[in-house]
């Protein structure tokens, strides 16, 4: 499908972190190596004595290309 972007970054929060079986994305549209799933948001994590608020993502795709 040439009219679609090469990578999809989708957010469906409060679900399991997985790249397949997403109900609104056709399997033929993006392979699993071209998907990024944001499955949780506003998650608090402590690192180095500081608390950070982050999103949680499952990544199996390029997020940037440097030429």
């Amino acid at each position: 499908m040439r009219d679609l972007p090469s990578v999809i970054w989708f957010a469906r929060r409060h679900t399991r972190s997985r790249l397949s079986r997403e109900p609104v994305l056709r399997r033929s549209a993006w392979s699993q190596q071209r998907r990024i799933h944001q499955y949780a948001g506003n998650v608090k994590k402590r690192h180095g004595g500081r608390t950070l608020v982050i999103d949680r993502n499952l990544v199996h795709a390029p997020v940037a290309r440097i030429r």
Side-chain angles (χ1 to χ4, degrees):
M1 302 191 158
R2 293 175 17 200
D3 60 336
L4 296 175
S6 60
V7 174
I8 186 75
W9 190 321
F10 64 98
R12 184 178 300 275
R13 294 185 176 178
H14 311 293
T15 62
R16 292 176 48 194
S17 60
R18 60 184 180 195
L19 299 170
S20 63
R21 295 186 290 188
E22 175 57 30
V24 297
L25 299 177
R26 290 176 299 183
R27 284 183 189 231
S28 62
W30 293 275
S31 70
Q32 289 187 35
Q33 294 81 22
R34 296 286 182 189
R35 294 181 178 203
I36 302 169
H37 178 195
Q38 184 182 87
Y39 61 91
N42 300 327
V43 176
K44 290 183 180 179
K45 290 289 185 180
R46 289 195 56 80
H47 183 73
R50 304 279 183 174
T51 300
L52 304 171
V53 179
I54 62 169
D55 293 332
R56 301 295 305 256
N57 301 289
L58 179 61
V59 179
H60 194 193
V63 294
R65 291 187 181 169
I66 300 173
R67 296 179 186 205

